[in-house]
Amino acid sequence: MERELTRFETLPTHIGFIMDGNGRWAKQRGLARSAGHVEGAKTFKRIADYGSRLGIRYMTFYAFSTENWKRPAQEVDKIMSLFAEYLDWILHKRQENELRGVRVRFLGDRSKLSQELIDVMDYVEAETRDKDKCTISIAINYGGRDDVLHGVRQLLRDVEAGILSADDITENDISKRLYTGDMPDPDLIVRPSGEYRLSNFLTWQSAYSELWFSDVLWPDFDEDMLDACLRDYEKRQRRFGGV
Ligand code: FPP
């Protein structure tokens, strides 16, 4: 049975999730790290589903950073195969997603991913492009600094082509060339696992984001925890530098 939805006075338009703590979750149970990622992937699907039912317009999940290639090949392969399984699942759930208006996007540098994976990613993005109720973005081979670098390269190309002049460049000219493109900046960033940092996630976009930390490990993050984040968010006053 579907969980009853909690009511909130205000909801963040965009939430970013740093899915951390999978390895520790597995270690605490004497399991291989990959078992933690399997559970983490289940949590991701559950939270994406619950968030979309609550009416959250954008959710961005940090699945694999530009630094994560330093992990053992077996672990990298496991994360990539869980990601591929998710893409497969999304395509099988197409009808349900269509009803819910879910769009799926990917943020990050695709050049290091397999061509097979890139083809499915392109397909999923094209299939869901016209959905506008909830956008689920998966950051894969993503780094906040790499995002800015990629955007700056685009900007320089546009300056060289005479589309823009250096003196006229605005913050928005940079924002719209990032992987997040026309998406609003995150209102709230949620990081479980007891670490108090952003780890190169949405570096430019998080300038005014509210931050929510917790000791819980990502595989144990659940609907009640998301409710707790949202209750907390309701109480925060966002002034964007004003008074
Ligand atoms: C961080 O925990 C988690 C990751 C680097 C991978 C996250 C991947 C998934 C949740 C599954 C695949 C993704 C999708 C979209 C299906 P950690 O391993 O650094 O944990 P630790 O800090 O406890 O070691």
Side-chain angles (χ1 to χ4, degrees):
M1 207 180 79
E2 270 193 347
R3 177 195 168 95
E4 207 175 303
L5 295 177
T6 314
R7 289 181 184 278
F8 296 94
E9 270 172 44
T10 52
L11 280 176
T13 305
H14 183 180
I15 312 182
F17 293 92
I18 301 180
M19 305 192 281
D20 194 19
N22 296 345
R24 275 163 286 169
W25 184 93
K27 197 171 173 207
Q28 283 172 2
R29 287 159 181 78
L31 302 169
R33 293 179 58 80
S34 58
H37 295 312
V38 170
E39 286 306 306
K42 287 185 198 162
T43 302
F44 154 71
K45 284 205 288 201
R46 240 174 57 204
I47 294 300
D49 183 63
Y50 182 57
S52 71
R53 290 202 297 123
L54 280 175
I56 303 191
R57 299 280 316 278
Y58 297 86
M59 283 177 281
T60 299
F61 294 85
Y62 203 5
F64 194 86
S65 75
T66 43
E67 289 71 40
N68 285 153
W69 297 104
K70 293 180 206 145
R71 295 185 177 214
Q74 201 190 4
E75 186 174 343
V76 171
D77 289 350
K78 184 67 198 179
I79 296 172
M80 291 301 163
S81 78
L82 285 167
F83 175 56
E85 273 172 36
Y86 169 71
L87 298 182
D88 213 34
W89 178 83
I90 270 282
L91 291 172
H92 278 99
K93 300 264 283 186
R94 200 177 315 198
Q95 268 184 333
E96 199 176 314
N97 279 321
E98 254 168 46
L99 285 177
R100 254 188 223 162
V102 175
R103 176 175 181 184
V104 181
R105 284 173 68 159
F106 308 101
L107 316 178
D109 175 6
R110 296 177 193 201
S111 65
K112 274 185 139 185
L113 306 177
S114 74
Q115 192 53 50
E116 201 186 339
L117 200 54
I118 297 171
D119 290 345
V120 188
M121 288 161 73
D122 287 344
Y123 186 68
V124 168
E125 281 190 334
E127 281 281 299
T128 62
R129 180 153 289 150
D130 59 339
K131 307 295 172 294
D132 60 1
K133 286 206 178 72
C134 177
T135 298
I136 292 172
S137 305
I138 299 170
I140 188 133
N141 194 24
Y142 177 88
R145 289 185 175 183
D146 182 64
D147 194 357
V148 173
L149 180 63
H150 170 264
V152 166
R153 283 202 183 114
Q154 301 263 83
L155 200 66
L156 287 177
R157 276 186 214 112
D158 289 344
V159 170
E160 278 167 18
I163 297 168
L164 273 171
S165 83
D167 290 335
D168 294 336
I169 294 170
T170 62
E171 289 186 5
N172 192 42
D173 288 321
I174 297 179
S175 294
K176 67 187 188 201
R177 287 168 177 80
L178 301 180
Y179 290 121
T180 39
D182 49 6
M183 277 163 51
D185 287 340
D187 305 289
L188 175 67
I189 294 187
V190 172
R191 176 166 199 162
S193 92
E195 314 282 0
Y196 298 86
R197 55 177 177 267
L198 293 180
S199 301
N200 208 10
F201 182 52
L202 301 177
T203 307
W204 170 278
Q205 298 88 332
S206 62
Y208 285 102
S209 303
E210 295 290 329
L211 306 177
W212 196 91
F213 297 103
S214 153
D215 285 343
V216 78
L217 303 175
W218 177 253
D220 291 327
F221 192 92
D222 61 10
E223 290 88 342
D224 288 336
M225 298 233 80
L226 183 55
D227 279 356
C229 299
L230 297 171
R231 279 277 170 259
D232 217 352
Y233 179 81
E234 270 184 331
K235 289 186 224 134
R236 299 199 193 182
Q237 282 191 337
R238 305 188 69 211
R239 291 191 293 273
F240 299 96
V243 286

